[in-house]
Amino acid sequence: MFHVMSQIGGLLAPSNGIAMMGLLGLIVMVATPWRRVGLALAGGGICGILAAGLLPVGNWAIFPLEQRFPAFVDDGRPITGIIVLSGALEVTRSAARREFALNGAAERIFAFMDLARRYPGARLVYSGGNSKIGSRLPPEAWTATEYLKTLGLPGDRLTIETRSHNTWENARETRNLVRPSPGERWLLVTSAWHMPRAMGSFEQVGFRVIPYPVDFQTNGTRDLEQPFTVVSQGLERLDLAAREWLGLIGYRLSGRTGALFPGPGTEPKPSEAKLAIAN
């Protein structure tokens, strides 16, 4: 049920809401006597699209997410394993075109390959099933790793997790699969804007991981003042940030994270972690 609700929630993108307001205004203008109301709604929709698309609203929303966890610094201690979360592969297009089709989160794949080379003794885990409802395509983890093996990823070190449909299930199923022991050090690779929800989920199931954020969308604080030059870019950035903030709220309300905005020092109490492991 939660998976279905998360898919439906994707329809609540700000760009959809603003566009629907403009469309509603046009309908009211044409089909009802309340022309002034319709004109106000239509004008609000047009102004909203321009404001959200050109002003750095999307950057204001996504910047706190990206800054929540610092970049990984290698202190020389051994790394037990490296986990990468799905989301970088266009599974449908890969199947249709029979090629390795990546999307804007491709840095997850590149970082995974680089870390596999830098830590030759570490276990490698690709976590991700099929996130689309009703899809009969193979799990992303299987498709991606088959391609990655052709690029030199060592198959004997690789474990794939194919049962998960969302971030919470990534954490739970990966924990059940690798069964980490106390003292082990596991790196978690995902997009920086997605790291708070991912870390909160892993902490809540009792799997301590080290964040390795990649795929930053902003260049830093200067982007908080820099307007977009193309409306679609600003709207896409805002939609991405809004979806992640809604995900954080949903995960907190459903008990999938121990804090509304997980970050360093917000891990759950031991009793909460034990309860999550039992679920």
Side-chain angles (χ1 to χ4, degrees):
M1 178 62 70
F2 187 86
H3 176 52
V4 175
M5 292 179 62
S6 67
Q7 295 289 306
I8 296 174
L11 300 176
L12 303 178
S15 60
N16 286 343
I18 298 171
M20 289 300 294
M21 181 174 68
L23 177 61
L24 177 61
L26 292 176
I27 294 173
V28 171
M29 286 176 62
V30 174
T32 74
W34 302 310
R35 299 191 65 180
R36 289 187 177 181
V37 175
L39 180 60
L41 288 173
I46 294 173
C47 293
I49 288 176
L50 291 175
L54 295 177
L55 296 178
V57 180
N59 287 339
W60 300 340
I62 207 168
F63 184 74
L65 295 168
E66 294 190 330
Q67 296 296 111
R68 190 60 167 163
F69 287 92
F72 171 73
V73 177
D74 191 346
D75 58 6
R77 289 186 290 169
I79 297 297
T80 306
I82 302 157
I83 304 165
V84 64
L85 300 189
S86 59
L89 182 68
E90 292 290 344
V91 179
T92 302
R93 193 188 312 157
S94 295
R97 296 297 184 180
R98 297 184 179 180
E99 66 176 16
F100 196 29
L102 300 176
N103 57 33
E107 286 91 336
R108 300 187 191 186
I109 298 290
F110 300 145
F112 187 53
M113 293 289 289
D114 179 54
L115 290 169
R117 176 188 58 82
R118 288 165 52 188
Y119 301 101
R123 294 176 60 184
L124 307 175
V125 180
Y126 197 115
S127 176
N130 198 323
S131 62
K132 294 184 178 180
I133 299 174
S135 175
R136 296 183 179 181
L137 292 173
E140 178 179 329
W142 185 88
T143 303
T145 52
E146 286 302 303
Y147 280 110
L148 292 177
K149 288 176 185 178
T150 67
L151 299 178
L153 191 73
D156 59 337
R157 296 167 52 196
L158 183 63
T159 301
I160 61 172
E161 182 282 300
T162 61
R163 299 180 60 182
S164 60
H165 300 91
N166 53 47
T167 304
W168 162 258
E169 292 181 3
N170 283 145
R172 184 190 63 195
E173 298 300 331
T174 301
R175 177 208 64 196
N176 294 342
L177 187 64
V178 304
R179 298 189 178 278
S181 300
E184 291 184 344
R185 303 179 75 233
W186 289 80
L187 295 180
L188 178 64
V189 180
T190 191
S191 301
W193 46 265
H194 181 242
M195 189 61 78
R197 186 153 57 108
M199 288 294 294
S201 297
F202 273 80
E203 291 283 1
Q204 194 72 352
V205 301
F207 191 173
R208 288 291 183 88
V209 291
I210 303 169
Y212 195 96
V214 297
D215 182 30
F216 289 86
Q217 299 297 301
T218 66
N219 296 311
T221 55
R222 65 178 182 176
D223 278 1
L224 300 180
E225 302 176 356
Q226 187 72 28
F228 292 97
T229 57
V230 179
V231 171
S232 61
Q233 292 179 343
L235 291 175
E236 183 179 11
R237 185 71 50 81
L238 180 59
D239 287 347
L240 178 63
R243 178 180 174 83
E244 198 58 33
W245 281 110
L246 286 174
L248 283 168
I249 294 171
Y251 271 44
R252 182 65 189 103
L253 292 176
S254 62
R256 285 168 168 78
T257 58
L260 178 60
F261 191 25
T266 63
E267 62 271 6
K269 298 177 182 179
S271 58
E272 294 174 338
K274 291 179 180 179
L275 179 61
I277 290 175
N279 294 333

